[in-house]
Amino acid sequence: MTTQTNQALHAFSGSYAGTILFVGFGSVGQALLPLLFRHFDLSPRQIRIVTADERGMDVATLFNVAFTVQPLTPENHREVLGRLLPRGGILINVSVDVASLSLIDWCQDHGVRYLDTCIEPWVGGYTDPALPVEHTTNWWLREQVLARRGPGRPTAVVAHGANPGLISHFVKAGLERLAGLRGVAFAASAGNHAEMARDLGVRVVQIAERDTQHGGPPLPPGGFANTWSADGLMAEAFQRAELGWGSHEGALPAGATPLGSGGRSLYLLEPGVRTRVRSWVPSAGEQSAYLLTHHESLSIADLLTVADGAEAPAYRPTVYYAYRPCPAAEASLEDWAASGFAELGYKFLLRNDLSDGGDELGALFVFDGGAYWYGSTLALEEARHLAPCNNATTLQVAAPLLAAVAWLVEHPDEGVVEAESLDHEFVLDIARPYLGRIEGILSAWNPKGAGRAGGLQFSDFIAAS
């Protein structure tokens, strides 16, 4: 790294005198821990970890951090948390199969600030056949948490990793830059990004990501490999595909079910692993990607809605996550789906064995006549130079988590908030040194084909499986 890069990495510094408890310590927790020690004046005694298994124990030992193996359950979580985390502390939830809502409720009752990367249910919350399908959706989970909103209680920042999280800040910054490029006057001076998107003619916002990292041992039959959480990707891929539904759209897709009053969000008939869409990223141009359910598909759609006091919004773009995972993860997903989602015996995190590639994550704004991608392109090699215990994907998650911790320290009593409530310039200033190349690229891409315009509908984006 250059001296300039080193200086940039250490430009942000903070102080915090309380206790930080990690719930879960998989790839993301391991990625964040070195950044906390780098940027905050912390003693190892201030940080504790409670997790369901021994994964990550080597990293905790490297940093002299207390590590407890104790799966949290509906029955024991209050007692375990009360033993490990005193009032005034911060709980960082990077677990799977531990209900975010239960942790938030405990934190609110005990004067503890909270942060997570997505809203999780207890084990079985995505797959229990006894549950109505609606209750297995991200929309449902989000609605339960947002019902807790209100200032004056300990801050709980929900869904603030790379996506959801960082991508919402890219949406705001990208819209501002696109407006400047196109010379469009807008109401951004008042922070109104919804009116900005409307005035720019944005019909679709894709969270467009491509992971090209590769390497590692051959995957045995019945296995699953990924550059972040295997369990997390499997859960997203198994859930019904969800999206924020635009005001310009016509008939609903076959088998689609509206969610909530007004049908502003919906879930599709098929799970995400069986739903493909056309998308675009800088390195590949057009790509086929999975439409996976994600929190930001709903929160960004709400951010960019112009209501005008009517029941039906005057303007709302269609928003969804279009993901092309790394080659090993894509092969794992296809084999798992072909098996009928059979139980797997082997799950592998691709980090130290990776040899090349990187991750592109950005907001793709699609309008009549073209598209604009704004986001981060981070190479594996650069990620390893920037921070230990990381690959390109995990560092794109850890950097906005670091920024969210800084925001939590400065804002202790805001209640439940999503990424859209945070200052995007504050977050990006802290995260930027870890995100590689951040850029905006204007293109003539159109899912209908070059040179064709007018009346974009969701059906134009559907790709063959």
Side-chain angles (χ1 to χ4, degrees), residues 6-153:
N6 274 310
Q7 290 172 345
L9 289 177
H10 295 275
F12 164 74
S13 63
S15 61
Y16 174 67
T19 301
I20 296 175
L21 176 67
F22 282 82
V23 174
F25 201 63
S27 62
V28 172
Q30 296 168 47
L32 176 62
L33 185 63
L35 302 189
L36 290 179
F37 279 114
R38 177 180 288 173
H39 291 279
F40 285 90
D41 183 16
L42 294 169
S43 160
R45 293 189 300 274
Q46 291 176 254
I47 299 183
R48 301 167 182 174
I49 297 165
V50 60
T51 187
D53 54 49
E54 294 185 352
R55 285 178 291 182
M57 183 182 289
D58 56 336
V59 175
T61 300
L62 179 66
F63 288 91
N64 297 313
V65 171
F67 188 94
T68 301
V69 177
Q70 174 66 73
L72 296 190
T73 67
E75 295 74 28
N76 75 1
H77 70 281
R78 300 185 72 84
E79 182 274 325
V80 173
L81 295 178
R83 180 161 37 87
L84 294 174
L85 188 54
R87 182 172 292 271
I90 293 174
L91 189 156
I92 300 176
N93 177 19
V94 283
S95 66
V96 295
D97 293 336
V98 177
S100 303
L101 187 61
S102 295
L103 299 188
I104 291 169
D105 284 344
W106 183 89
C107 288
Q108 299 265 289
D109 291 342
H110 291 83
V112 169
R113 282 163 274 185
Y114 174 89
L115 170 64
D116 67 27
T117 59
C118 68
I119 299 175
E120 281 276 324
W122 289 113
V123 62
Y126 296 131
T127 58
D128 186 347
L131 291 173
V133 173
E134 181 178 290
H135 291 196
T136 68
T137 63
N138 278 13
W139 176 86
W140 176 264
L141 292 170
R142 178 176 180 246
E143 288 296 308
Q144 310 314 300
V145 168
L146 293 187
R148 267 70 171 174
R149 281 181 297 188
R153 306 199 72 191

Side-chain angles (χ1 to χ4, degrees), residues 201-204 245-251 318 366-370 446-449 451-461:
V202 174
R203 290 180 176 270
V204 174
W245 193 241
S247 55
H248 65 282
E249 300 281 4
T318 296
V366 188
F367 41 84
D368 286 344
N446 187 307
K448 293 183 175 183
R452 299 180 62 187
L456 283 173
Q457 297 284 305
F458 177 67
S459 56
D460 297 319
F461 293 84

